[in-house]
Amino acid sequence: MDISQSQRAAIARIRALMPHDVLLKADRVARMNGRYIGLSRDQRLKKAFKAMVESIAVVNLDEVAKPDKRRIVAVCGESGAGKTTALLRHTAETVAMRPYVDEDGNTKSPVLMMTAPSPCTPRLLAYEGLHALGYPVRSTLRENLMWKTFRDVLKAHEVMFLIIDEAQHAVDAANGVEITKIANSLKNLVQMPDWPLRIVLAGVEPLDQFLAIKQLANRSTVIPFSKMTGTSGEATIAEVTRMIIFDHAELSTALHEDEEFIKRLIHGCDRDFGTIVQMIRGAVEEAIDGDQTVVTNQQFANCFENNTGFEPDRNVFLVKNWKDTRPYDASHREANARLEKFARSRKK
């Protein structure tokens, strides 16, 4: 991430105000949070990115309209699965996606990363892309002209990879006509006759259903970010718990060997890998802030309470009947869905 000089100055000022011991702890936590934890799914994502880059390198303009599953890569999974973190990691590691200096000395970025707005329409999706590129355009521009302008500006900026996070916003409240328009617009982006562009989508349901329609199904590679389930999921989380606490934070614990604790951790985070990692790191931060060398169940309970606001009788790390507790991620998703439904009704 590029940081401006003014941002650096602001950060330096805050750091100068912090006591030395507090600053050391903050840096220690930041180093831990900066570590990436890969799973087997990362190999599929790496392979898909590699194929996407290679499809540009061997592009044949005479065959640009032919379906090609290397043109759209989609990462589908629930909130908290770790999709955005994985995309940022693999984008940074893919050489063809890194910024470069052209022959005129100008710094160019072949990647445009944007978030689909919510609520969303086909016109607003293109407008958001133009806004992300810094291109001034009236939001009232007609839909067909908005998409034409978006295609032209992508070419002018030499963007070759368009990454759209929260891509489900483009279709979750759309009618059949709008869904068809968005599908056709994405298809047209990846088969422009005079510019090679590839698209990466990330989102929750109904994104996977959207990608199954005819215009996109034969142009998309879908990589599911599934939940942590079964004995294999428990073994993975036990190892991740050990890795973060011992290797990344240089603390100790016995929790990774406690089968019931691992099950509580997975259940409390609704089996979502990204949320589980955040919970482990939150407990470790509790330990570091308290000058502790051993991470305990109480620190996980404290982190769960801080994140959810749940009382002790609803805390998955404290109650006896923990299987009956509500995972806080599921509760948050339901609340967000109600808010979005309310917002849409107010708009209507």
Side-chain angles (χ1 to χ4, degrees):
M1 180 178 68
D2 294 330
I3 299 179
S4 66
Q5 187 172 353
S6 60
Q7 287 177 303
R8 292 181 187 278
I11 294 171
R13 177 179 176 277
I14 294 298
R15 289 179 65 86
L17 296 173
M18 296 171 64
H20 182 66
D21 61 327
V22 174
L23 190 59
L24 288 177
K25 291 178 182 179
D27 287 343
R28 185 177 174 186
V29 170
R31 287 194 297 271
M32 173 187 66
N33 291 339
R35 302 285 290 269
Y36 183 75
I37 302 171
L39 299 177
S40 58
R41 66 194 187 188
D42 284 88
Q43 295 304 314
R44 291 190 61 190
L45 187 55
K46 182 177 181 180
K47 183 178 179 181
F49 269 45
K50 180 174 179 288
M52 187 169 54
V53 171
E54 290 174 351
S55 73
I56 292 179
V58 297
V59 65
N60 185 339
L61 294 180
D62 294 332
E63 300 180 351
V64 73
K66 291 185 178 180
D68 186 342
K69 283 186 174 291
R70 299 173 300 173
R71 293 185 180 177
I72 300 176
V73 173
V75 178
C76 298
E78 292 192 10
S79 177
K83 302 182 299 296
T84 303
T85 301
L87 286 180
L88 290 172
R89 175 73 175 194
H90 286 275
T91 299
E93 288 188 342
T94 304
V95 177
M97 293 184 174
R98 295 174 185 169
Y100 63 94
V101 178
D102 66 11
E103 57 273 12
D104 297 322
N106 301 312
T107 300
K108 297 288 186 69
S109 176
V111 175
L112 172 64
M113 180 171 284
M114 58 177 283
T115 300
S118 178
C120 186
T121 64
R123 181 169 55 83
L124 284 177
L125 183 61
Y127 174 78
E128 189 68 21
L130 288 166
H131 179 72
L133 285 166
Y135 185 83
V137 63
R138 290 180 291 108
S139 61
T140 56
L141 195 66
R142 289 203 312 272
E143 184 179 290
N144 63 324
L145 293 178
M146 190 77 78
W147 275 96
K148 181 183 183 304
T149 304
F150 187 34
R151 289 194 298 270
D152 292 343
V153 175
L154 284 169
K155 288 186 290 185
H157 282 72
E158 299 182 14
V159 173
M160 305 183 83
F161 304 97
L162 172 62
I163 301 176
I164 305 178
D165 202 0
E166 303 293 351
Q168 77 280 353
H169 290 163
V171 294
D172 59 2
N175 57 40
V177 173
E178 290 176 328
I179 288 175
T180 300
K181 286 181 179 179
I182 292 172
N184 286 333
S185 297
L186 295 179
K187 182 189 71 173
N188 291 336
L189 283 179
V190 296
Q191 59 182 43
M192 288 189 284
D194 54 352
W195 187 252
L197 181 77
R198 299 296 179 261
I199 296 177
V200 180
L201 303 174
V204 305
E205 292 183 355
L207 178 60
D208 50 352
Q209 301 171 36
F210 168 65
L211 292 167
I213 65 178
K214 183 177 180 180
Q215 297 96 315
L216 302 178
N218 53 7
R219 292 176 173 84
S220 304
T221 296
V222 179
I223 301 175
F225 271 37
S226 304
K227 289 179 175 288
M228 297 289 105
T229 58
T231 55
S232 61
E234 292 171 11
T236 296
I237 297 308
E239 171 56 20
V240 168
T241 302
R242 185 209 64 78
M243 181 189 303
I244 293 175
I245 295 175
F246 282 83
D247 300 343
H248 298 177
E250 298 180 350
L251 299 177
S252 64
T253 191
L255 293 175
H256 64 294
E257 298 176 343
D258 185 335
E259 292 183 7
E260 181 174 310
F261 168 81
I262 295 299
K263 291 178 180 179
R264 286 173 181 258
L265 173 61
I266 293 173
H267 175 78
C269 296
D270 203 20
R271 299 173 293 150
D272 289 318
F273 181 73
T275 304
I276 294 169
V277 169
Q278 290 176 356
M279 183 67 68
I280 300 169
R281 288 172 172 169
V284 169
E285 185 172 355
E286 284 259 342
I288 292 174
D289 286 343
D291 296 317
Q292 303 297 310
T293 59
V294 179
V295 179
T296 66
N297 186 75
Q298 185 59 52
Q299 284 143 359
F300 277 89
N302 294 344
C303 183
F304 189 84
E305 181 180 349
N306 292 338
N307 289 347
T308 65
F310 287 179
E311 297 296 328
D313 61 351
R314 298 171 63 197
N315 193 311
V316 71
F317 295 103
L318 298 178
V319 297
K320 183 177 180 180
N321 57 333
W322 57 270
K323 293 180 182 178
D324 298 329
T325 60
R326 291 290 305 281
Y328 79 89
D329 254 23
S331 301
H332 285 182
R333 278 196 290 273
E334 289 180 8
N336 289 338
R338 288 195 297 269
L339 284 173
E340 289 185 5
K341 183 178 180 180
F342 174 73
R344 287 196 294 268
S345 67
R346 295 285 292 178
K347 184 179 180 182
K348 291 178 181 178

